[in-house]
Amino acid sequence: RWSDIEMNHVRRLVVGIGSHHGDDCIGWTVVDRLKKEWAHVFGGTRFVNCQLPIDLLDRLDEVDEMHLIDAMDGPWRDDSGKSHAIHRVRYADRGDRLAVRERRLTSSHGMGVLPVLQLAEKLGMPTKHVTLWLVQGESFEPMTPPSAAALESIDRCVEMLPKELRHARTIAG
């Protein structure tokens, strides 16, 4: 259970958000692979999955850094119209926050990640240490496997995220 996660000596939390609805498993799959392949490298980092983003409120003030991986419906298009399968949003960056709000992301989780972070801000909780990793999905049918495009995006995210974690560790010392 989410509430039973041991948080002693945890500086960084990497959270996969998902469900069993096709490509919505992207966050869970990324975190499962990162945990298997990288947990031994990143001390002080906990890799966990959750289904309800509202549960994040319990952990926002317990860590120095939080990475959230969630599926998004379709690609991210930047200002030039270029399409991206993975989009990193640094929540501390006002431009990033505005861009993700303008996209009007929908959620299969009831209250989605963005509304949860907005609620946290209104409650005076820390959010500047949060990075969202929005990964392109195509099919969100219940109890179906991930699409080929999702599997490719998962591989890319599993390749990208450790580089980010290493960079942050270098800066933090």
Side-chain angles (χ1 to χ4, degrees), residues 76-164:
W76 182 275
R77 299 210 186 282
D78 63 24
D79 292 339
S80 70
K82 185 176 178 186
S83 176
H84 302 274
I86 299 171
H87 184 68
R88 183 185 67 200
V89 177
R90 293 189 191 280
Y91 205 74
D93 183 283
R94 186 174 186 275
D96 278 3
R97 280 195 316 277
L98 291 174
V100 78
R101 286 177 184 157
E102 287 174 5
R103 192 165 194 282
R104 298 178 191 200
L105 300 173
T106 58
S107 178
S108 63
H109 312 286
M111 187 176 203
V113 174
L114 190 59
V116 166
L117 292 173
Q118 290 169 330
L119 174 62
E121 282 181 295
K122 289 191 186 314
L123 295 172
M125 300 176 83
T127 57
K128 300 220 183 291
H129 63 305
V130 175
T131 300
L132 298 172
W133 295 81
L134 302 173
V135 184
Q136 177 181 348
E138 296 177 345
S139 173
F140 297 87
E141 295 298 316
M143 305 308 289
T144 59
S147 67
L151 293 173
E152 279 184 41
S153 294
I154 288 166
D155 287 344
R156 287 192 53 225
C157 195
V158 168
E159 183 181 307
M160 292 169 67
L161 224 145
K163 292 175 186 173
E164 175 88 6

